[in-house]
Amino acid sequence: MASPWYVYMVRCRDQSLYTGITTDPDQRLKAHNHGPTGARYTRSRRPVTLVYLEEAASRSAAGKREYAIKKMSPAQKAALIARADRGG
């Protein structure tokens, strides 16, 4: 059975948001905060905090959802995060 894919958002120290995809959210968060394999964008904005996580059916689906989230306005992203915080 293949590992599930996830779309995630992290909030950086400067309050900006970074969106990405992964099969291991815990390891990816560690990489963003400590490792050389974290995204270049987040390296100068550490520490980062996971604020949104969504499971996707496949890598393709995760990539498409990542693209859709990246196109959202800041207000739409904030609403998405708020809905996730409320469990909806």
Side-chain angles (χ1 to χ4, degrees):
M1 187 171 153
S3 297
W5 282 88
Y6 298 90
V7 181
Y8 66 92
M9 275 193 279
V10 294
R11 185 172 308 280
C12 301
R13 182 185 64 218
D14 66 1
Q15 300 305 305
S16 63
L17 292 169
Y18 174 84
T19 305
I21 64 172
T22 186
T23 57
D24 189 342
D26 293 330
Q27 189 61 36
R28 192 66 183 135
L29 185 61
K30 288 176 188 172
H32 279 302
N33 277 317
H34 306 291
T37 58
R40 183 177 296 161
Y41 181 84
T42 62
R43 280 187 223 147
S44 63
R45 294 169 172 85
R46 293 175 179 163
V48 302
T49 305
L50 184 68
V51 294
Y52 181 77
L53 186 65
E54 176 183 323
E55 189 169 336
S58 65
R59 186 187 194 296
S60 176
K64 289 174 184 175
R65 181 65 172 146
E66 175 192 23
Y67 180 74
I69 291 172
K70 285 182 174 184
K71 291 183 67 168
M72 289 180 179
S73 70
Q76 289 171 316
K77 290 177 186 180
L80 185 64
I81 292 166
R83 278 195 306 274
D85 284 345
R86 291 191 310 268

